[in-house]
Amino acid sequence: YWGSHIPYKGGCPTLRNSQQEIATPKDCKKSAFTFTRRLTYIAVLVAISLILKTLGNFLTIVGFRVSFVYIPWIIAGVMLGPIGGGAVSLITDILGTLIAGQTPVPLLMLGNALYPVFPALAFRLPLKYDYLKVVIGACVSLCACTLGLNTWGLALLYEQSYWFQLVFYRLPQIGVFAINLVA
């Protein structure tokens, strides 16, 4: 009975009687994200990303893999900032690669870890529309990470030219990017 009349608002306990709410304790600090809450968000977004990454391994159209893993990565970057977003994408990339039975490639891991960093930084721009901030950050991520670092990593992995890998294999990623951005 004692704990049933002490509700939690914003992570801080408040005391109230049956008629009205009494002020919160003075030593209670209100913070948007406690360590536990941040860790929980990271874990949930990693789980969602892993499911979407695994589904993307099976969704192949004419040798072209369709993946929705960018959505939770962008959400992680916007919600948790550059470090939290980078952690979500790095953990997802490592676990997803191991689940697929492959060996993680450091350059690909770096490219994927940086993907949510740019939307997180763009979300801090003093623009009026949040969606515009996300689009700007995602476009920078597309160019720097997907078409830049990841293409370079795949070219080294498969011992091909960067330009060959970019033109014949990576440019279709722009379509996947557009689908993810709309979603």
Side-chain angles (χ1 to χ4, degrees):
Y1 172 77
W2 174 253
S4 64
H5 71 284
I6 302 176
Y8 281 84
K9 286 190 173 183
C12 296
T14 58
L15 303 174
R16 68 180 177 138
N17 59 19
S18 61
Q19 295 178 0
Q20 67 180 355
E21 196 171 302
I22 300 174
T24 60
K26 291 182 181 178
D27 58 336
C28 180
K29 296 179 182 177
K30 289 188 178 184
S31 65
F33 287 107
T34 62
F35 176 75
T36 307
R37 184 176 289 177
R38 184 176 295 276
L39 195 60
T40 303
Y41 280 127
I42 288 173
V44 168
L45 288 167
V46 165
I48 293 169
S49 299
L50 273 174
I51 291 168
L52 293 175
K53 187 175 180 93
T54 305
L55 285 175
N57 290 338
F58 297 112
L59 290 173
T60 308
I61 302 169
V62 191
F64 178 64
R65 190 183 327 181
V66 179
S67 176
F68 294 102
V69 74
Y70 299 129
I71 297 169
W73 287 0
I74 292 172
I75 291 171
V78 169
M79 277 181 52
L80 304 170
I83 295 173
V88 168
S89 59
L90 181 64
I91 294 167
T92 301
D93 186 52
I94 292 171
L95 292 177
T97 304
L98 294 174
I99 288 171
Q102 301 170 348
T103 304
V105 178
L107 198 53
L108 296 176
M109 289 175 13
L110 176 64
N112 290 334
L114 288 176
Y115 196 93
V117 170
F118 297 111
L121 295 175
F123 204 75
R124 296 179 181 179
L125 293 173
L127 298 174
K128 184 176 180 180
Y129 301 105
D130 289 343
Y131 186 70
L132 179 62
K133 296 176 191 179
V134 171
V135 169
I136 290 170
C139 287
V140 172
S141 291
L142 172 73
C143 295
C145 300
T146 303
L147 301 178
L149 286 173
N150 289 353
T151 303
W152 184 29
L154 289 171
L156 292 175
L157 181 66
Y158 295 119
E159 298 177 355
Q160 296 174 337
S161 163
Y162 170 83
W163 297 107
F164 178 82
Q165 185 70 238
L166 178 69
V167 170
F168 291 104
Y169 295 107
R170 302 302 288 173
L171 284 181
Q173 288 293 321
I174 295 173
V176 173
F177 166 78
I179 292 169
N180 279 270
L181 200 56
V182 169

